[in-house]
Amino acid sequence: MSHGKQFTLYTHKGGPNGWKVTIVLEELGLTYESIFLDFQKGEHKAPEYLKVNPNGRIPALIDHKNNDYTVWESNAIIQYLVDKYDKDRKVSVAPGTNEYYTQLQWLYFQASGQGPYYGQAAWFSVYHPEKVPSAIERYRNEIKRVLGVLESVLSKQEFLVDGKATVADFSFLPWNEGAAKFLLEGSQFEEEFPATAKWHKKLLERPAIAKVWEERAKVSAH
Ligand SMILES: N[C@@H](CCC(=O)N[C@@H](CS)C(=O)NCC(=O)O)C(=O)O
């Protein structure tokens, strides 16, 4: 066991996919040690780490109370955590129910529809060596499309699944924060997607999430 903590989380100071998992660990009151990999040094591609996650990306989680069971892909990690450790269904819904598949639907949509498109928007806006305006425009439009999907649902209901805050809602937070702050222009998020912006803000007020956000601000300042 890692310093007496149940889990080891391999993550990154700025990586949205890692913070999604931290939120769920905190919401469930589980104990964990975060290991922040240094992408500049290529720690996520080092042979030692590839034994943990052959995909060479973060996050990856080791459960020391389950024979060091290791799982990667953020939403698979989240699903593992709630299926195994949220028996009271504090932030998830029961396996086998219709709502369970609705929860899964949003988690898949987040992983396939939000993450990759927002990630490409960040890549072409910040890291790509050439400026390619048509690529930036394409991925910004995709962000707006995804936010439009969320808005169409959240303008009619408070949360995505079963009338309560679940991991499905949490999974969208880190990338939407990135969109609101860096990827869209000015106050586009609040003005064009008011129900989504309200939902986002309300989720950030949850004590566990506020704690994670504080930690996130602290580590990314270093
Ligand atoms: N679908 C994966 C995406 C993982 C991912 O792209 N992680 C980023 C950080 S948020 C990463 O490790 N990037 C480093 C790289 O691509 O080399 C998940 O949800 O876990």
Side-chain angles (χ1 to χ4, degrees):
M1 218 176 274
S2 153
H3 302 109
K5 309 275 171 65
Q6 182 177 353
F7 298 94
T8 298
L9 173 67
Y10 289 93
T11 186
H12 178 264
K13 290 176 181 179
N17 292 304
W19 292 111
K20 280 157 54 180
V21 175
T22 315
I23 287 173
V24 178
L25 288 163
E26 281 294 337
E27 281 282 353
L28 294 177
L30 297 166
T31 62
Y32 60 97
E33 184 192 11
S34 297
I35 297 185
F36 294 100
L37 298 184
D38 188 334
F39 287 173
Q40 305 261 332
K41 291 190 187 150
E43 287 177 350
H44 56 319
K45 309 292 179 194
E48 233 9 70
Y49 182 65
L50 294 180
K51 283 186 213 151
V52 176
N53 181 356
N55 194 30
R57 291 188 168 204
I58 65 92
L61 186 81
I62 302 178
D63 184 350
H64 301 293
K65 276 200 185 152
N66 182 15
N67 294 318
D68 285 350
Y69 171 69
T70 301
V71 56
W72 47 273
E73 273 295 321
S74 55
N75 287 356
I77 297 173
I78 288 172
Q79 200 68 56
Y80 171 76
L81 287 173
V82 292
D83 283 359
K84 221 168 152 58
Y85 299 108
D86 188 21
K87 299 290 187 208
D88 298 338
R89 304 289 155 223
K90 187 175 168 253
V91 290
S92 63
V93 293
T97 59
N98 285 350
E99 289 76 18
Y100 182 81
Y101 295 101
T102 307
Q103 180 180 276
L104 212 50
Q105 161 203 290
W106 286 111
L107 288 171
Y108 275 103
F109 177 62
Q110 190 283 322
S112 65
Q114 189 205 36
Y117 287 111
Y118 286 42
Q120 291 303 315
W123 173 263
F124 281 104
S125 306
V126 183
Y127 303 106
H128 196 64
E130 296 153 41
K131 278 283 155 249
V132 187
S134 56
I136 296 174
E137 193 191 343
R138 167 173 161 74
Y139 292 114
R140 278 203 184 144
N141 284 341
E142 281 300 313
I143 293 179
K144 290 193 220 160
R145 194 186 68 76
V146 170
L147 288 174
V149 174
L150 290 171
E151 186 70 13
S152 72
V153 172
L154 293 166
S155 52
K156 295 193 213 90
Q157 62 193 56
E158 199 179 354
F159 298 108
L160 295 175
V161 186
D162 206 21
K164 67 178 194 186
T166 68
V167 290
D169 302 284
F170 306 157
S171 70
F172 287 90
L173 278 172
W175 269 123
N176 275 350
E177 181 83 353
K181 291 227 166 97
F182 309 110
L183 302 171
L184 296 174
E185 279 146 32
S187 47
Q188 234 170 5
F189 184 55
E190 287 84 7
E191 279 167 16
E192 290 183 29
F193 310 99
T196 308
K198 194 169 150 215
W199 162 80
H200 183 85
K201 200 162 160 273
K202 191 168 47 190
L203 292 170
L204 294 186
E205 282 163 6
R206 294 173 66 86
I209 301 182
K211 185 178 165 200
V212 173
W213 244 234
E214 223 172 89
E215 174 69 7
R216 181 170 163 267
K218 217 189 302 166
V219 300
S220 45
H222 293 287

